[in-house]
Amino acid sequence: MDTLNSPSPQQITLAPFGPEHIAGALRLSQQAGWPHRAEDWAMTLSTAQGVVALDGDQIVGTALCSDFGDVATLNMIIVDEACRGRGLGRRLMDAIIALGQGKTLRLVATKDGLPLYEKLGFVAHGQIHQYQGIAQARTPEQPVKTGRADLNDLTKIDQSASGMSRHHLLEQIAATGTVLTTAGGFAMLREFGRGMVVGPVVAEDAIAARALIDAAATQAKGKFLRIDLTSDALGGHMETLGLQHVGGGTAMQRPAHAPHPTPFKTFALVSQALG
């Protein structure tokens, strides 16, 4: 869109985000340099309600709110380059915060978005570390199984670590991806963006987490692989798998609260959008 002919705020309307908006949303995510395919948008939308900002028929903004029980993640918040600096980001945020009313709200902030989210009451509670590259095989430190697993059990483990009820999402990932399990944890590997992504990785300790990630990298050997870690403690290990640190974001939530004690920890996100 030509900046000189960009719309005034009064020309832009908000409407519910539906499947028919995915093509226009894909244009925005490509403009922002995000790797999402239409299929990735569709999976995120299947968990969410949201809004699009419209200048006539042109989509110039998107925002989604994914409902996971007591927690909702706010995601896919994009404003067209030609429409920035005019309060549209705030309008989109107000709309999806209303959709998540009464829930703990989480998001992963870019550097540009951080000031707005702080004004809206979000508090930083960690950093997300994105690693990616061409995966190399590595023998896990402990046995890892692939294939069928009891999704009800995995949902309980995931919820104990994340506080989110995500059975439907995990079911979708398992249907098209690979489930990996080991003593003390599980992980999932699926197609995403430029290649594949491993996440969530939920485990009792770093040994189990490394084993799951090693098995995922072996499955993805020779392919582009991404992982979004909740800590950089495993960063050195990622490099042995051919993955390099390429950035990340700030994990934020509203209201702020301390995590409840649990034997399980989320070592890697499903995605920055879905926690």
Side-chain angles (χ1 to χ4, degrees):
M1 182 182 296
D2 189 335
T3 304
L4 295 176
N5 297 316
S6 57
S8 67
Q10 293 76 20
Q11 290 176 285
I12 298 174
T13 60
L14 301 187
F17 196 130
E20 69 275 15
H21 297 123
I22 288 176
L26 181 62
R27 179 190 70 83
L28 288 185
S29 58
Q30 290 172 339
Q31 181 193 80
W34 295 6
H36 297 69
R37 307 166 299 158
E39 296 91 335
D40 303 320
W41 270 99
M43 189 180 81
T44 304
L45 183 59
S46 73
T47 71
Q49 300 180 71
V51 293
V52 291
L54 297 170
D55 172 30
D57 293 331
Q58 178 93 329
I59 294 175
V60 295
T62 61
L64 297 179
C65 174
S66 297
D67 185 346
F68 298 123
D70 293 334
V71 176
T73 65
L74 308 185
N75 52 70
M76 310 310 284
I77 303 157
I78 314 175
V79 174
D80 190 294
E81 291 175 351
C83 299
R84 293 176 188 170
R86 303 181 180 198
L88 181 54
R90 176 63 182 259
R91 287 177 65 191
L92 291 166
M93 283 297 298
D94 287 344
I96 57 174
I97 286 172
L99 292 175
Q101 188 173 11
K103 299 178 182 292
T104 296
L105 303 179
R106 295 179 185 168
L107 56 80
V108 176
T110 62
K111 184 178 179 180
D112 289 341
L114 195 60
L116 172 60
Y117 304 141
E118 289 176 336
K119 289 178 183 177
L120 291 170
F122 287 83
V123 176
H125 65 95
Q127 292 294 314
I128 304 303
H129 302 271
Q130 182 182 332
Y131 282 79
Q132 63 186 39
I134 303 303
Q136 299 175 11
R138 185 182 176 94
T139 302
E141 299 170 60
Q142 65 185 44
V144 176
K145 296 179 180 179
T146 60
R148 296 181 64 84
D150 188 325
L151 279 176
N152 290 323
D153 288 344
L154 300 190
T155 298
K156 291 176 183 176
I157 292 170
D158 178 62
Q159 186 165 5
S160 75
S162 68
M164 295 185 279
S165 180
R166 304 193 289 190
H167 183 85
H168 174 64
L169 175 62
L170 298 184
E171 188 175 49
Q172 281 194 79
I173 297 172
T176 58
T178 301
V179 179
L180 305 103
T181 55
T182 192
F186 81 96
M188 291 183 166
L189 176 71
R190 71 185 192 280
E191 292 185 357
F192 173 85
R194 296 169 57 189
M196 307 192 80
V197 63
V198 53
V201 178
V202 183
E204 291 179 321
D205 53 42
I207 294 174
R210 284 196 303 266
L212 291 162
I213 295 167
D214 289 348
T218 300
Q219 288 268 330
K221 179 182 176 182
K223 298 178 181 179
F224 184 88
L225 181 65
R226 169 177 170 164
I227 186 169
D228 291 292
L229 298 174
T230 59
S231 162
D232 207 26
L234 297 181
H237 190 74
M238 297 305 101
E239 293 177 1
T240 70
L241 301 174
L243 310 183
Q244 302 298 318
H245 190 270
V246 296
T250 301
M252 308 188 80
Q253 64 182 11
R254 190 186 94 167
H257 61 80
H260 59 280
T262 171
F264 290 96
K265 176 185 175 182
T266 300
F267 283 81
L269 306 179
V270 172
S271 68
Q272 292 189 29
L274 298 171

